[in-house]
Amino acid sequence: MTVQRVNLFRNGGKEHLELLGGKGAHLAEMTKTGLPVPPGFTITTDVCRSFYSTGCQLPAGLMDEAMKALTELEKEQRRTFGSPQHPLLVSVRSGSVTSMPGMMDTVLNLGLNDETVEGLAQLTNNRRFAYDCYRRFIQMYGSVVCHIENIHFERILQKEKNQSAYADDGQLSEESLAAIVQHFKRMFEQKTGKPFPQDVREQLQRAIEAVFLSWSSPRAKIYRQVHHIPDHQGTAVNVQAMVFGNMGETSGTGVLFTRNPSTGERVMFGEYLMNAQGEDVVGGTRTPSPIAELERAMPHVYEELSLSAIQLEQHYKDMQDIEFTIENGKLFLLQTRNAKRNAKAALKVAADFVNEGLITKEEALMRIDVQHLNHLLHRSLQVDDDHVVLAAGLPASPGAACGQVVFEADKADEWKRAGKQVILVRMETTPEDIHGVIAAEGILTLRGGMTSHAAVVARGMGKPCICGCEVLNLDEEQEQLISGNIVIQEGDWLTIDGGSGKAYPGKMELKEADISPELLLILQWADEIRSMKVMANADSPLDARKAREFGAEGIGLCRTEHMFLSPTRVPIVQQMILADKETDRQLALDRLLPMQRCDFEEMFEEMDGCPVTIRLLDPPLHEFLPNAEELAERQNSLHSDEAADTDRQELERMIRRVRELQETNPMLGQRGCRLGIMFPEIYEMQIEAIFKAALCCIRKGVTVLPHVMIPLVGHVNELHLLRKLVDEVAEQVLGEERRNCPYKVGTMIEVPRAALTAGDIARSADFFSFGTNDLTQMTFGYSRDDAEGKFLTHYIENKLLPNNPFQVLDTDGVGKLIEMAVIQGRSRNPMLTTSICGEHGGDLESIMFCQRIGLDYLSCSPYRLPVTRIAAAQAHIRMQWERQLQEAAV
Amino acid sequence: MTVQRVNLFRNGGKEHLELLGGKGAHLAEMTKTGLPVPPGFTITTDVCRSFYSTGCQLPAGLMDEAMKALTELEKEQRRTFGSPQHPLLVSVRSGSVTSMPGMMDTVLNLGLNDETVEGLAQLTNNRRFAYDCYRRFIQMYGSVVCHIENIHFERILQKEKNQSAYADDGQLSEESLAAIVQHFKRMFEQKTGKPFPQDVREQLQRAIEAVFLSWSSPRAKIYRQVHHIPDHQGTAVNVQAMVFGNMGETSGTGVLFTRNPSTGERVMFGEYLMNAQGEDVVGGTRTPSPIAELERAMPHVYEELSLSAIQLEQHYKDMQDIEFTIENGKLFLLQTRNAKRNAKAALKVAADFVNEGLITKEEALMRIDVQHLNHLLHRSLQVDDDHVVLAAGLPASPGAACGQVVFEADKADEWKRAGKQVILVRMETTPEDIHGVIAAEGILTLRGGMTSHAAVVARGMGKPCICGCEVLNLDEEQEQLISGNIVIQEGDWLTIDGGSGKAYPGKMELKEADISPELLLILQWADEIRSMKVMANADSPLDARKAREFGAEGIGLCRTEHMFLSPTRVPIVQQMILADKETDRQLALDRLLPMQRCDFEEMFEEMDGCPVTIRLLDPPLHEFLPNAEELAERQNSLHSDEAADTDRQELERMIRRVRELQETNPMLGQRGCRLGIMFPEIYEMQIEAIFKAALCCIRKGVTVLPHVMIPLVGHVNELHLLRKLVDEVAEQVLGEERRNCPYKVGTMIEVPRAALTAGDIARSADFFSFGTNDLTQMTFGYSRDDAEGKFLTHYIENKLLPNNPFQVLDTDGVGKLIEMAVIQGRSRNPMLTTSICGEHGGDLESIMFCQRIGLDYLSCSPYRLPVTRIAAAQAHIRMQWERQLQEAAV
């Protein structure tokens, strides 16, 4: 059915959303469904566009059409627009396609004038009501159509209230209201130079024009800009017969959620106010009653409302948010829309709807907002808007934590042992602080970005962390943290929210993570449906256990360097790095070997039967050494202490080595496989540890699937050389058992050149894992540490970039490289498996991209797994739906 | 004509190079041309491959075929192989396809035994000669075929010489030689267990086998590895009738260049030795005579040799290097090949050959080795191998320089004013050292790579520079430079060669650059032929003048930051950077504006009618500030001096700002257009300066073509935004004159993402300039400063990479990006011009790639222009030839 430009509700429907706007489409839908909706019509968004294209003129003939449509309303309501006897009143409301709550204008009670008000009084036998409507109408019309500031109306109202000593509008007497109407009209004439219009057609025309004009009001324009709503979308105008909630004690108005929007429980939820119109509920001078009370007060209305709620849920297959009015005991529905709900409720509603047979599992999954899920998976804060914020930094690792501030890792460890909860605050953390990070509830650093040491370690541990909190000052000597006039000292309580990046002084209440049965059920559905596998980034046996708990089908990335970071190991790693001779380095490596072997063994056991992807050492060696400044300080303090010669020599050696290893751009320096090629003994040790661990496990009956990943390959020769090393060591260690250890060798594609020459590289690779963090850094030429909080923030705020490319994969640039690499890689090696293991592995849009280009699996941090499992299912469903649409189109 | 596996010279030719080897092919060619070549035949490389594939066996029947071919030699020489009366002697020589001088074996005088030696004596009536031949044969056969060490032969020879008190082999008497033969034979039998073979067929077979076997001798294998000669190429064997230069005083042997290989002059050049065989010339116990003397000694032979030389030059259309032997006054040619020559000679020969009508201009151009040209364009050193080298670093800017060492820029400036030549030696240079760099003859730094400040500035000025000379120790307090036990103090002389990266203690003689008329002529030809334009990277009016002199057709890259580096400007730039408020920054910018305007004005005038591409500020701001360490030192010294409070405050402010600007990876930080977006006032000033300069020039009647280049664009939005700024400022400044100033706006493509999204970017760009230095860094993920001298050197030495990608464009990876960008860019904007302005703009292979993908122009440093002009012509010719070949094949 085609839509007229003035379209009666009964001729519309939700499929015409773009012409009728949200409100109009759903009013039409409800009308067709037979629900009690006051009759009305919609003037379409086409008319709005036409209005603006002709210099704010309504199209010729439109008012005639509107008046004609009104006669239909008149018939149905048995009243006549402008009739002094049986006056029909209407509401004129905006109705945009995308919801823009409160942004646009509405006029109620239109059709009243000095004559019809008397007619209304007689008709309802309620003169007080009629004048109440009239004074409301004059105020709304005056402010919306004629732009008279509301304060002028409020002053008159207040004066009258003061004179009659009423606190509440509802208590105003018939006489007072009539007096107010007279005052309003006088003031109206003063302000506009014309008397208040008595011609109801003129009233209607000017109200329609005013609603269209409100589309270009400054607040509406700004709202559209912020929410990316195109200007040409336009608004529709709904003209609807008035029903009155303010007609007395059997009338009222209210809002209803078909289920509880906080818990998702299948119980009607909402509130209502008797003898009131819509704006009174919002106004807040009277306290509304909970909807349950309506059952006692007006059982029949309640019954009808309940049935309508069920009918609407079944019709829309979603939880609804309904506006209703009761006029003299009769129920009318004035609006319905899909209800907003919190994450927990969303899960329960989705699960319940499936169980009730209303929607499919696929539909339920598609309704989950994965961004919201994060709140459920971590401890969270409930913060008022006016809570004092100490500072805001980068949201480096989600979740909330609360503890007493300490400024040193040792102290953190010590206090934790003493049973205290601590928050570790540091300028920046180094590997030497690791025991402090482990001991702390959460971490806050003043420097460093989303990939700084603290951030990476904290995310791996699922521990809340804020980084780059540069607005704070840390006075290390005085041991205090300063923000404006707030001073935090050691032992003071601090609460941090790693999801928002905000820190709050004092101890705040935390909400525990909430893994409900519904979440588990939905995760199970996601696993049934999705086609991409989901693995975890896990760097320790503990991580591996967590990963398995959260549903990982293997480990997609084990960063072996994190295994070097425990306080007992760091000194040996440093010894290895400081070694001047290869034999000395070998000695240190010999000590590290059994430690790594032991880690791998536990991880293999934990992941029995699942692949474990182990990335060989990646970061530049200087990351394991103290930084130059710190060493210089140590050296200065040595001088005064007249320390032993050996200490001094050792320190000088370390300083020399740190200097040697210093790089101008460490991101582009001697790291990844470049390290493995320059110091083959390091990789050899790691490979030996992997296969020795595998051998042990095989003998214990564990099924071992090691995937050895060579990082930062840029030229096939690098991979070729190191693959040979893996094969040789595997042969030596495993011998006969090789056939029970179907290991793979692959590479991380994280350098643009690797993606560009993926065809060549695939010849030596069993798998590609896209390291999208580094790939994004190099493809954009952004150092994440330097960009975030500096120009990148400005870029995103000013729309120079659509998104932060470290959070949402840049499909145009980085994605193009990935797609090229997948196509070329598979064409040269059809057995190649492909995956993504950067932080994008947990982002919905990015996962959709991975699905589209056909990656085999995603890998993300254990705590992100539930989100990723659902997102992967959503991506699969979206692809299927798109395909179906395409097929239908052909 | 097909080639037999045993192929007589008269049946061969140079077109069969791969089967006959170089020597064989050219002997055949000379034979066919009618030149006096002793008859012979070639056993092909096919036989060599067969020999190795059957476990070092000659193919069945081969020796019969060889003996049959010998009968042809016998007929021609009227002698018989093995005949006691008229013995035919032959030489057996290797002849590989690619020249491998001295790597493989030769046996001369084969066919002698106890009987034939007597026959030879009678035939030549020269018994001494016959025995001289025999003893030479036994020694050669013994060592080459039977691997008897030469020392055993030399001992016997020496003993005989001692007994007869002869110093020289040539003085040995007939009796002595006969005695030596007896001693040799006895020793031979002792060493091999068998008597010296008397069967001449056996001699021939074993000599042929020995030559084939020498293909796999260790030295030959290593040579092939180093020179990338494939093993399967194999060697041919040439068997040729002996002619004797050692038959008396009318016999001799020599080597002839058809022109002077040092100067290219058209004068025969070479030397000869009478009564000698080839090895005597090489042996060096007798001094050969210059070829000119032959004219007096044997005018007829000289005449014939001259004519042969001319004939061979005309035949081969190139200068030849000829071996000849005179036997009893008769001339024989034993080898010819294209002669090696130095760069100067190569130019003259090429030009002369064109003028003589022997070759076309295209052929002449293709013969220029552009690598060699560099020597002519810069001052150079002539260094003996045993000259003491102080140290070797990175060859950062070519050319040689010599001066007294200073360690501070101020001192360099001061000494230069006092009329001294200085070499500036620094740990590393900063912008504050610029006056020292200007004053110095050359620069040596201990730290920093090929893109360090010193390197970039020196290359721009055409000044010799060595960087990253890490083997040296700089004792800054003692002001001395230490390398092992050599100590260089201030004022000591030092000579550096920026082309080799070597530094030498003391004052050495320099050879001036040599721009000959022939070079100018060939450059003119290159300009006529090439299709790509050649522009210059020029950062100052002085550079621009130089560029025009060297034939630039415009400026392809003016790095405006270099204009900020003069000592008078750096403080203002620092003031601009240190400004806390925008107004303070504007004050500094207002002072910089007229300076920039003035530079641009002079450059536009210099380039009247040619495009001037100006890149807006690119490097991170901290590059204009002193480094943190230095500032800390200054601060320390302030403490002790109790300096004024204002000084201290100023310093503290600077330290704070330096800290703020510090970046983890400055290469990937806030630079390029990111800077221009964050501080639009800086770009605005630069754009204003450009158009104000343009306006002045237009009014003076200069034709101005400014191309404004936005650096480091990664997303089209960046370019879009800044292009708007350019247009706005142009409109403001130029007003009506806009139509006389057809400016363009484009970008440097140096971030992988820019290349990947080139289609989008081209919508806002008039031109793309590929900044291949940065593009290579980001595509590989190599920081040049960190990679070179570290893992990159190892990679190249170990063939992990075929080339240094900063010198030779990586066509597989970086090139793929460039090609994609050109194709996508042009498809969206057909008017787009494309160019390359990295250091690759001067490399032949890279230029060939640019030609292939159809770039519009190349841009390189002024001093590199001549090389680039020739290389561009070569690329054009090569493309044409390839196209002709393809068309011929179709």
Side-chain angles (χ1 to χ4, degrees), chain A residues 41 63 66-67 70 81 90 92 110 141 199-209 239:
Chain A
F41 57 86
M63 276 311 293
M67 292 308 288
L70 260 184
F81 190 51
V90 295
V92 179
L110 189 137
Y141 188 92
D199 176 355
V200 293
R201 179 172 161 137
E202 182 193 340
Q203 287 177 1
L204 180 62
Q205 176 168 348
R206 293 200 58 195
I208 293 170
E209 286 168 353
V239 178

PDB file of all heavy atoms in Angstrom, chain A residues 41 63 66-67 70 81 90 92 110 141 199-209 239:
ATOM      1  N   PHE A  41      -3.678  11.135  11.910  1.00  0.00           N
ATOM      2  CA  PHE A  41      -2.993  10.962  10.622  1.00  0.00           C
ATOM      3  C   PHE A  41      -1.577  11.517  10.728  1.00  0.00           C
ATOM      4  O   PHE A  41      -1.247  12.276  11.647  1.00  0.00           O
ATOM      5  CB  PHE A  41      -3.771  11.635   9.488  1.00  0.00           C
ATOM      6  CG  PHE A  41      -4.022  13.098   9.679  1.00  0.00           C
ATOM      7  CD1 PHE A  41      -3.063  14.036   9.280  1.00  0.00           C
ATOM      8  CD2 PHE A  41      -5.210  13.553  10.262  1.00  0.00           C
ATOM      9  CE1 PHE A  41      -3.303  15.389   9.451  1.00  0.00           C
ATOM     10  CE2 PHE A  41      -5.433  14.918  10.435  1.00  0.00           C
ATOM     11  CZ  PHE A  41      -4.481  15.842  10.031  1.00  0.00           C
ATOM     12  N   MET A  63      -2.980  21.786   3.399  1.00  0.00           N
ATOM     13  CA  MET A  63      -3.918  22.060   4.494  1.00  0.00           C
ATOM     14  C   MET A  63      -5.321  21.537   4.170  1.00  0.00           C
ATOM     15  O   MET A  63      -6.017  21.030   5.058  1.00  0.00           O
ATOM     16  CB  MET A  63      -3.957  23.563   4.812  1.00  0.00           C
ATOM     17  CG  MET A  63      -2.845  24.021   5.759  1.00  0.00           C
ATOM     18  SD  MET A  63      -2.658  23.004   7.244  1.00  0.00           S
ATOM     19  CE  MET A  63      -4.206  23.356   8.080  1.00  0.00           C
ATOM     20  N   ALA A  66      -5.230  17.982   4.897  1.00  0.00           N
ATOM     21  CA  ALA A  66      -5.228  17.759   6.347  1.00  0.00           C
ATOM     22  C   ALA A  66      -6.640  17.938   6.910  1.00  0.00           C
ATOM     23  O   ALA A  66      -7.098  17.128   7.732  1.00  0.00           O
ATOM     24  CB  ALA A  66      -4.257  18.731   7.023  1.00  0.00           C
ATOM     25  N   MET A  67      -7.312  18.979   6.430  1.00  0.00           N
ATOM     26  CA  MET A  67      -8.659  19.221   6.917  1.00  0.00           C
ATOM     27  C   MET A  67      -9.588  18.074   6.519  1.00  0.00           C
ATOM     28  O   MET A  67     -10.473  17.672   7.276  1.00  0.00           O
ATOM     29  CB  MET A  67      -9.201  20.558   6.371  1.00  0.00           C
ATOM     30  CG  MET A  67      -8.488  21.790   6.928  1.00  0.00           C
ATOM     31  SD  MET A  67      -8.373  21.876   8.725  1.00  0.00           S
ATOM     32  CE  MET A  67     -10.087  22.244   9.126  1.00  0.00           C
ATOM     33  N   LEU A  70      -9.023  15.306   8.745  1.00  0.00           N
ATOM     34  CA  LEU A  70      -9.628  15.605  10.045  1.00  0.00           C
ATOM     35  C   LEU A  70     -11.096  15.163  10.103  1.00  0.00           C
ATOM     36  O   LEU A  70     -11.570  14.746  11.163  1.00  0.00           O
ATOM     37  CB  LEU A  70      -9.549  17.112  10.320  1.00  0.00           C
ATOM     38  CG  LEU A  70      -8.429  17.615  11.238  1.00  0.00           C
ATOM     39  CD1 LEU A  70      -8.579  19.103  11.457  1.00  0.00           C
ATOM     40  CD2 LEU A  70      -8.428  16.881  12.568  1.00  0.00           C
ATOM     41  N   PHE A  81     -14.064  19.607  14.608  1.00  0.00           N
ATOM     42  CA  PHE A  81     -12.938  20.504  14.840  1.00  0.00           C
ATOM     43  C   PHE A  81     -13.442  21.949  14.754  1.00  0.00           C
ATOM     44  O   PHE A  81     -14.038  22.354  13.751  1.00  0.00           O
ATOM     45  CB  PHE A  81     -11.863  20.258  13.764  1.00  0.00           C
ATOM     46  CG  PHE A  81     -10.556  20.946  13.998  1.00  0.00           C
ATOM     47  CD1 PHE A  81      -9.894  20.842  15.228  1.00  0.00           C
ATOM     48  CD2 PHE A  81      -9.960  21.701  13.000  1.00  0.00           C
ATOM     49  CE1 PHE A  81      -8.676  21.466  15.427  1.00  0.00           C
ATOM     50  CE2 PHE A  81      -8.738  22.316  13.198  1.00  0.00           C
ATOM     51  CZ  PHE A  81      -8.087  22.203  14.425  1.00  0.00           C
ATOM     52  N   VAL A  90      -7.058  18.219  19.025  1.00  0.00           N
ATOM     53  CA  VAL A  90      -6.016  17.309  18.502  1.00  0.00           C
ATOM     54  C   VAL A  90      -4.665  17.658  19.128  1.00  0.00           C
ATOM     55  O   VAL A  90      -4.456  18.769  19.617  1.00  0.00           O
ATOM     56  CB  VAL A  90      -5.891  17.407  16.960  1.00  0.00           C
ATOM     57  CG1 VAL A  90      -7.170  16.918  16.279  1.00  0.00           C
ATOM     58  CG2 VAL A  90      -5.543  18.823  16.523  1.00  0.00           C
ATOM     59  N   VAL A  92      -0.569  17.825  18.058  1.00  0.00           N
ATOM     60  CA  VAL A  92       0.304  17.913  16.878  1.00  0.00           C
ATOM     61  C   VAL A  92       1.721  17.610  17.371  1.00  0.00           C
ATOM     62  O   VAL A  92       2.288  18.369  18.158  1.00  0.00           O
ATOM     63  CB  VAL A  92       0.232  19.324  16.249  1.00  0.00           C
ATOM     64  CG1 VAL A  92       1.150  19.404  15.038  1.00  0.00           C
ATOM     65  CG2 VAL A  92      -1.203  19.652  15.848  1.00  0.00           C
ATOM     66  N   LEU A 110      -4.954  21.282  20.788  1.00  0.00           N
ATOM     67  CA  LEU A 110      -5.184  22.246  19.722  1.00  0.00           C
ATOM     68  C   LEU A 110      -6.625  22.153  19.233  1.00  0.00           C
ATOM     69  O   LEU A 110      -7.174  21.053  19.093  1.00  0.00           O
ATOM     70  CB  LEU A 110      -4.189  21.999  18.587  1.00  0.00           C
ATOM     71  CG  LEU A 110      -4.136  23.050  17.485  1.00  0.00           C
ATOM     72  CD1 LEU A 110      -2.687  23.345  17.112  1.00  0.00           C
ATOM     73  CD2 LEU A 110      -4.917  22.606  16.267  1.00  0.00           C
ATOM     74  N   TYR A 141       1.185  26.622  22.659  1.00  0.00           N
ATOM     75  CA  TYR A 141       1.131  27.275  21.364  1.00  0.00           C
ATOM     76  C   TYR A 141       2.006  28.526  21.389  1.00  0.00           C
ATOM     77  O   TYR A 141       2.804  28.779  20.471  1.00  0.00           O
ATOM     78  CB  TYR A 141      -0.325  27.647  21.047  1.00  0.00           C
ATOM     79  CG  TYR A 141      -0.531  28.169  19.646  1.00  0.00           C
ATOM     80  CD1 TYR A 141      -0.864  27.301  18.607  1.00  0.00           C
ATOM     81  CD2 TYR A 141      -0.412  29.526  19.378  1.00  0.00           C
ATOM     82  CE1 TYR A 141      -1.060  27.782  17.321  1.00  0.00           C
ATOM     83  CE2 TYR A 141      -0.596  30.017  18.092  1.00  0.00           C
ATOM     84  CZ  TYR A 141      -0.921  29.149  17.065  1.00  0.00           C
ATOM     85  OH  TYR A 141      -1.127  29.624  15.793  1.00  0.00           O
ATOM     86  N   ASP A 199      -9.082  31.109  15.062  1.00  0.00           N
ATOM     87  CA  ASP A 199      -9.368  30.245  13.911  1.00  0.00           C
ATOM     88  C   ASP A 199      -8.605  28.934  14.081  1.00  0.00           C
ATOM     89  O   ASP A 199      -7.372  28.902  14.088  1.00  0.00           O
ATOM     90  CB  ASP A 199      -8.913  30.965  12.641  1.00  0.00           C
ATOM     91  CG  ASP A 199      -9.099  30.086  11.407  1.00  0.00           C
ATOM     92  OD1 ASP A 199      -9.485  28.904  11.549  1.00  0.00           O
ATOM     93  OD2 ASP A 199      -8.824  30.588  10.295  1.00  0.00           O
ATOM     94  N   VAL A 200      -9.371  27.817  14.247  1.00  0.00           N
ATOM     95  CA  VAL A 200      -8.689  26.540  14.559  1.00  0.00           C
ATOM     96  C   VAL A 200      -7.879  26.025  13.384  1.00  0.00           C
ATOM     97  O   VAL A 200      -6.853  25.357  13.554  1.00  0.00           O
ATOM     98  CB  VAL A 200      -9.689  25.459  15.033  1.00  0.00           C
ATOM     99  CG1 VAL A 200     -10.285  25.854  16.375  1.00  0.00           C
ATOM    100  CG2 VAL A 200     -10.795  25.220  13.998  1.00  0.00           C
ATOM    101  N   ARG A 201      -8.260  26.316  12.143  1.00  0.00           N
ATOM    102  CA  ARG A 201      -7.462  25.909  10.976  1.00  0.00           C
ATOM    103  C   ARG A 201      -6.117  26.633  10.993  1.00  0.00           C
ATOM    104  O   ARG A 201      -5.072  26.044  10.720  1.00  0.00           O
ATOM    105  CB  ARG A 201      -8.221  26.212   9.692  1.00  0.00           C
ATOM    106  CG  ARG A 201      -7.405  25.811   8.455  1.00  0.00           C
ATOM    107  CD  ARG A 201      -8.206  25.930   7.186  1.00  0.00           C
ATOM    108  NE  ARG A 201      -7.298  25.972   6.053  1.00  0.00           N
ATOM    109  CZ  ARG A 201      -7.485  25.307   4.932  1.00  0.00           C
ATOM    110  NH1 ARG A 201      -8.551  24.551   4.772  1.00  0.00           N
ATOM    111  NH2 ARG A 201      -6.616  25.399   3.947  1.00  0.00           N
ATOM    112  N   GLU A 202      -6.176  27.918  11.318  1.00  0.00           N
ATOM    113  CA  GLU A 202      -4.922  28.677  11.440  1.00  0.00           C
ATOM    114  C   GLU A 202      -4.042  28.066  12.533  1.00  0.00           C
ATOM    115  O   GLU A 202      -2.843  27.885  12.362  1.00  0.00           O
ATOM    116  CB  GLU A 202      -5.238  30.139  11.757  1.00  0.00           C
ATOM    117  CG  GLU A 202      -3.967  30.992  11.850  1.00  0.00           C
ATOM    118  CD  GLU A 202      -4.215  32.369  12.466  1.00  0.00           C
ATOM    119  OE1 GLU A 202      -5.373  32.829  12.478  1.00  0.00           O
ATOM    120  OE2 GLU A 202      -3.220  32.962  12.956  1.00  0.00           O
ATOM    121  N   GLN A 203      -4.701  27.716  13.673  1.00  0.00           N
ATOM    122  CA  GLN A 203      -3.950  27.068  14.762  1.00  0.00           C
ATOM    123  C   GLN A 203      -3.221  25.823  14.254  1.00  0.00           C
ATOM    124  O   GLN A 203      -2.036  25.627  14.476  1.00  0.00           O
ATOM    125  CB  GLN A 203      -4.904  26.657  15.893  1.00  0.00           C
ATOM    126  CG  GLN A 203      -5.438  27.801  16.721  1.00  0.00           C
ATOM    127  CD  GLN A 203      -6.441  27.328  17.771  1.00  0.00           C
ATOM    128  OE1 GLN A 203      -6.713  26.123  17.874  1.00  0.00           O
ATOM    129  NE2 GLN A 203      -6.975  28.251  18.551  1.00  0.00           N
ATOM    130  N   LEU A 204      -4.007  25.015  13.517  1.00  0.00           N
ATOM    131  CA  LEU A 204      -3.439  23.747  13.036  1.00  0.00           C
ATOM    132  C   LEU A 204      -2.277  24.012  12.074  1.00  0.00           C
ATOM    133  O   LEU A 204      -1.194  23.427  12.200  1.00  0.00           O
ATOM    134  CB  LEU A 204      -4.526  22.910  12.353  1.00  0.00           C
ATOM    135  CG  LEU A 204      -4.054  21.559  11.810  1.00  0.00           C
ATOM    136  CD1 LEU A 204      -3.554  20.665  12.950  1.00  0.00           C
ATOM    137  CD2 LEU A 204      -5.170  20.839  11.056  1.00  0.00           C
ATOM    138  N   GLN A 205      -2.482  24.885  11.102  1.00  0.00           N
ATOM    139  CA  GLN A 205      -1.448  25.148  10.105  1.00  0.00           C
ATOM    140  C   GLN A 205      -0.173  25.644  10.778  1.00  0.00           C
ATOM    141  O   GLN A 205       0.928  25.156  10.507  1.00  0.00           O
ATOM    142  CB  GLN A 205      -1.937  26.176   9.095  1.00  0.00           C
ATOM    143  CG  GLN A 205      -0.828  26.542   8.103  1.00  0.00           C
ATOM    144  CD  GLN A 205      -1.327  27.327   6.909  1.00  0.00           C
ATOM    145  OE1 GLN A 205      -2.545  27.429   6.673  1.00  0.00           O
ATOM    146  NE2 GLN A 205      -0.407  27.863   6.160  1.00  0.00           N
ATOM    147  N   ARG A 206      -0.315  26.590  11.700  1.00  0.00           N
ATOM    148  CA  ARG A 206       0.881  27.158  12.318  1.00  0.00           C
ATOM    149  C   ARG A 206       1.571  26.139  13.229  1.00  0.00           C
ATOM    150  O   ARG A 206       2.797  26.128  13.350  1.00  0.00           O
ATOM    151  CB  ARG A 206       0.522  28.430  13.072  1.00  0.00           C
ATOM    152  CG  ARG A 206       0.072  29.521  12.065  1.00  0.00           C
ATOM    153  CD  ARG A 206       0.162  30.893  12.624  1.00  0.00           C
ATOM    154  NE  ARG A 206       1.503  31.223  13.073  1.00  0.00           N
ATOM    155  CZ  ARG A 206       1.776  32.268  13.873  1.00  0.00           C
ATOM    156  NH1 ARG A 206       0.786  33.027  14.304  1.00  0.00           N
ATOM    157  NH2 ARG A 206       3.026  32.526  14.238  1.00  0.00           N
ATOM    158  N   ALA A 207       0.798  25.236  13.803  1.00  0.00           N
ATOM    159  CA  ALA A 207       1.414  24.200  14.649  1.00  0.00           C
ATOM    160  C   ALA A 207       2.201  23.212  13.787  1.00  0.00           C
ATOM    161  O   ALA A 207       3.315  22.797  14.119  1.00  0.00           O
ATOM    162  CB  ALA A 207       0.349  23.464  15.451  1.00  0.00           C
ATOM    163  N   ILE A 208       1.610  22.843  12.632  1.00  0.00           N
ATOM    164  CA  ILE A 208       2.327  21.930  11.718  1.00  0.00           C
ATOM    165  C   ILE A 208       3.631  22.580  11.253  1.00  0.00           C
ATOM    166  O   ILE A 208       4.704  21.970  11.290  1.00  0.00           O
ATOM    167  CB  ILE A 208       1.432  21.559  10.515  1.00  0.00           C
ATOM    168  CG1 ILE A 208       0.243  20.711  10.980  1.00  0.00           C
ATOM    169  CG2 ILE A 208       2.235  20.814   9.452  1.00  0.00           C
ATOM    170  CD1 ILE A 208      -0.833  20.505   9.897  1.00  0.00           C
ATOM    171  N   GLU A 209       3.532  23.836  10.861  1.00  0.00           N
ATOM    172  CA  GLU A 209       4.735  24.553  10.416  1.00  0.00           C
ATOM    173  C   GLU A 209       5.777  24.608  11.531  1.00  0.00           C
ATOM    174  O   GLU A 209       6.975  24.413  11.304  1.00  0.00           O
ATOM    175  CB  GLU A 209       4.362  25.976   9.988  1.00  0.00           C
ATOM    176  CG  GLU A 209       3.637  26.017   8.654  1.00  0.00           C
ATOM    177  CD  GLU A 209       2.999  27.389   8.369  1.00  0.00           C
ATOM    178  OE1 GLU A 209       3.024  28.257   9.280  1.00  0.00           O
ATOM    179  OE2 GLU A 209       2.499  27.584   7.254  1.00  0.00           O
ATOM    180  N   VAL A 239      -0.930  14.251  13.661  1.00  0.00           N
ATOM    181  CA  VAL A 239      -2.086  14.976  14.181  1.00  0.00           C
ATOM    182  C   VAL A 239      -3.069  13.916  14.679  1.00  0.00           C
ATOM    183  O   VAL A 239      -3.439  13.016  13.915  1.00  0.00           O
ATOM    184  CB  VAL A 239      -2.732  15.837  13.082  1.00  0.00           C
ATOM    185  CG1 VAL A 239      -3.975  16.542  13.635  1.00  0.00           C
ATOM    186  CG2 VAL A 239      -1.730  16.851  12.550  1.00  0.00           C
TER     187      VAL A 239
END
